[in-house]
Structure formats: structure tokens, C-alpha cells
Amino acid sequence: GNSVTQMEGPVTLSEEAFLTINCTYTATGYPSLFWYVQYPGEGLQLLLKATKADDKGSNKGFEATYRKETTSFHLEKGSVQVSDSAVYFCALNTGNQFYFGTGTSLTVIP
Amino acid sequence: GAGVSQTPSNKVTEKGKYVELRCDPISGHTALYWYRQSLGQGPEFLIYFQGTGAADDSGLPNDRFFAVRPEGSVSTLKIQRTERGDSAVYLCASSLTAVSNTGELFFGEGSRLTVL
């Protein structure tokens, strides 16, 4: 079946620290991979995506590389800011359905 | 509208009552999805529409849940005989098309349902 597993939180970091949130997936076929972010009081919004193996998605200083050999799509940012505090969801799209991980809560303290 | 709109934003009801949740997708988006999100969990797929028809309703938990999209735009999720376990945030999302696996979902802010 299709599923997404992401590291559990919550994660607390100091401003300017390095961030990694792990995500691995199981899928039939060739899915696209996504990271969605949910800021406090807001709906989920797309952060970045990658549509094929070895693609790197990037946005707002965040990056993730689609690794088919390790079935992973880890989210990274070199220097987090307080405004990055949110819940992050890894997801995959098989063509007619999206599957989401359980979310990782990130809090960045000044 | 500019984004996906969901109403009501909050709904409190009593066990056994009937509830309707409405979603107005982004204009021109043919695919519409309903998800349910419980506390501390990721969105759980319920149903998706391509145009007016339900292309996949395999996520609906039981026959108390039903959704329609009669004109291929606005959708209504209907829950009969609500139970306390139905309490969750119900998310609607739309996409330009469901055919491609590269498309992204645009989410509304959700309808929080509380069943007392």
C-alpha cells in the first residue's frame, strides 16, 4: 500500500539552528512528494514538492531531495527562524490520492 | 474566490444530530477532496470528486457520511446521526485536476466539528 512515515515531534530548536525532519514513504508506481506546512491558525499550504527521483524541491530556505533508493524525502533548513514555527506534513501523490504523514510540530525559540 | 472557502469554521452539535459542511473550491479546479484531521494526526482521506462525480469514496468511514458536488463546484459533506468520534477538523482541498500526480492541493482552513 501507500503510506508516509515522518519523525515524531515536537521539535524545539533555537533560532539559527539546523533543521532536519525525516520522512520516508511506501508507494506503488511513481509518486510525487510534497511538504506541506500549517502555521498556527491557518490552513495547510504547500511548502515544496518534487515530482521524480533525484529532484530537489526548495522554498523559503527549505529543501528536500526525492531519494528513490532510500524512499526518503527529508526536509532541511540551514538556519531556522521563529517564523518557521509550524506543523510540517510530508505527503505523496499517487495520481488520484494524497497520503499524509502525521505531522511534526516545530517550535523555534529566540 | 481566491482560495478554498469552508463553512462553518466551527460547528458544535449534539450526538445524533445531522450536520452539513460546505466547501467552495478555487474557481476552475475540477478536483475536490475531503479529509478529516484528528488532533495530532495528519489529514485522513475521505472522498474525492473529479467534476460532479465521486471518483473515490473509499475513505468514508461508514454510511453515515455522504458528500455531493451537484454542479462540479461547491461540495457538501453530510454526516447523519453524529457520534462523539466524529469530532475532528474536516478539511476541503481542491486541485486543478486529479489526473496528474504532480498537482498540488490547495486547502481551506477547515471546519471544526465537535459532537457533544
Side-chain angles (χ1 to χ4, degrees):
Chain A
N2 301 301
S3 66
V4 175
T5 302
Q6 60 181 105
M7 69 182 274
E8 294 188 12
V11 174
T12 302
L13 295 174
S14 297
E15 208 165 20
E16 300 184 2
F18 183 84
L19 168 72
T20 300
I21 301 178
N22 289 338
C23 171
T24 57
Y25 69 90
T26 302
T28 53
Y30 303 96
S32 291
L33 301 175
F34 301 78
W35 278 99
Y36 279 81
V37 59
Q38 188 170 29
Y39 297 105
E42 299 184 17
L44 278 86
Q45 56 187 273
L46 179 69
L47 179 60
L48 54 84
K49 73 176 187 181
T51 59
K52 61 183 188 296
D54 300 325
D55 267 4
K56 178 186 285 188
S58 60
N59 185 26
K60 299 182 180 181
F62 290 88
E63 292 184 338
T65 301
Y66 188 166
R67 301 280 189 205
K68 194 166 186 293
E69 63 277 12
T70 55
T71 61
S72 65
F73 193 55
H74 304 322
L75 182 67
E76 295 183 337
K77 186 173 185 181
S79 176
V80 293
Q81 305 301 311
V82 172
S83 57
D84 295 327
S85 298
V87 182
Y88 293 81
F89 294 90
C90 186
L92 68 86
N93 178 1
T94 60
N96 65 358
Q97 225 191 88
F98 281 74
Y99 297 84
F100 287 83
T102 54
T104 302
S105 174
L106 170 67
T107 301
V108 181
I109 54 178
Chain B
V4 178
S5 176
Q6 290 188 247
T7 55
S9 55
N10 274 288
K11 175 72 177 177
V12 179
T13 191
E14 293 179 344
K15 181 174 178 296
K17 299 289 189 184
Y18 170 79
V19 165
E20 287 191 354
L21 307 175
R22 175 189 165 105
C23 173
D24 196 346
I26 293 173
S27 177
H29 280 194
T30 62
L32 184 147
Y33 298 73
W34 282 101
Y35 286 83
R36 178 167 68 176
Q37 187 176 19
S38 301
L39 194 62
Q41 300 296 314
E44 172 194 15
F45 171 77
L46 296 177
I47 184 171
Y48 99 89
F49 293 86
Q50 180 63 37
T52 60
D56 184 348
D57 63 359
S58 61
L60 294 177
N62 52 59
D63 61 6
R64 295 188 297 106
F65 289 74
F66 189 70
V68 296
R69 195 185 184 199
E71 297 178 359
S73 178
V74 171
S75 175
T76 305
L77 178 66
K78 307 180 181 196
I79 310 174
Q80 298 177 322
R81 305 183 305 279
T82 51
E83 300 177 356
R84 292 193 181 89
D86 299 335
S87 296
V89 177
Y90 288 83
L91 300 173
C92 178
S94 70
S95 181
L96 197 56
T97 175
V99 175
S100 167
N101 72 343
T102 63
E104 66 177 275
L105 291 179
F106 295 83
F107 281 88
E109 294 190 11
S111 292
R112 181 178 298 278
L113 174 66
T114 303
V115 181
L116 302 177

